[in-house]
Amino acid sequence: MTYYSNGNGGFLSQIPPVTKNLVFINIIMFIATMINQDFMIETFALFYPSSPFFHPWQIITHMFMHGGFWHIFFNMYTLVMFGTVLERAIGSKKFAVFYFVTGLGAVFLHQGVQFMQIHVMDQGNLQMYYSVVADILRTPTVGASGAIYGVLIGYALLYPESVLMLIFPPIPLKAKWMVLIFVAIELLTGVTGTADGVAHFAHLGGMLFGWLLLLWWRKSGSLYRQDKWF
């Protein structure tokens, strides 16, 4: 178990190192995007692998990109609130592994769905088919949301009975029920195509891989062992 000082070093000193550094990197990338949006999006956002804009490093760098102030604000707020607790519980090294595994899991499911859209879609209407393919190839994906949803399910698995206060509506809800509601919403909106412009299956991918990884660690007895990452 890793412990952190509760001294008088200020708010930032209360945030464990991996969570703190992730927030700093996200803020730096957001500022850079505001300075030169076209370059940052084309270079660091995630494009579909067969897109001419795709670069291998985008699989990681897109997790530090955001589309606007509220996008990064809510992601970083959630990361600080729940990532801090999770990192303290399982240790910094394991939390770093967890964060990036959930982020990559989000990529896997999101682009897997895009692959299915391209290869399973009825090609009877070629105009519509090529329009969908062109849209997938030229649309970038940005945001830490996949990993953030992984952090949320990680928190809910470790502290399922903890009570959280929702903002809309302002009612108390146990963490385990909150996560199940999020899963249902993301699955429904992803399947129906509502809330266009949101990578719902990336959110589900982050949650799925976070759930699987924590279950694996727990089953192997390594969840709280600092000398064993897997």
Side-chain angles (χ1 to χ4, degrees), residues 74-199:
F74 283 114
N75 273 349
M76 295 303 100
Y77 176 80
T78 306
L79 177 58
V80 171
M81 292 296 294
F82 297 99
T84 294
V85 177
L86 194 58
E87 183 175 348
R88 285 175 175 163
I90 65 177
S92 295
K93 291 180 179 179
K94 195 172 261 90
F95 178 72
V97 171
F98 179 84
Y99 187 87
F100 284 103
V101 166
T102 55
L104 293 174
V107 172
F108 178 79
L109 189 59
H110 173 64
Q111 296 204 331
V113 170
Q114 289 183 318
F115 176 86
M116 294 294 291
Q117 286 180 293
I118 292 174
H119 294 279
V120 178
M121 183 179 174
D122 182 11
Q123 299 186 27
N125 187 333
L126 287 179
Q127 183 176 358
M128 179 179 292
Y129 173 77
Y130 287 124
S131 175
V132 170
V133 172
D135 188 55
I136 289 174
L137 294 182
R138 68 179 180 228
T139 301
T141 300
V142 298
S145 301
I148 297 301
Y149 271 74
V151 170
L152 283 173
I153 200 168
Y155 176 88
L157 284 173
L158 265 58
Y159 308 100
E161 300 299 322
S162 64
V163 178
L164 306 170
M165 181 62 73
L166 299 181
I167 299 176
F168 301 108
I171 59 174
L173 193 66
K174 289 185 177 181
K176 60 183 180 182
W177 300 123
M178 180 194 71
V179 167
L180 287 176
I181 290 172
F182 281 175
V183 170
I185 291 173
E186 292 299 326
L187 185 59
L188 178 64
T189 51
V191 171
T192 59
T194 54
D196 192 28
V198 179

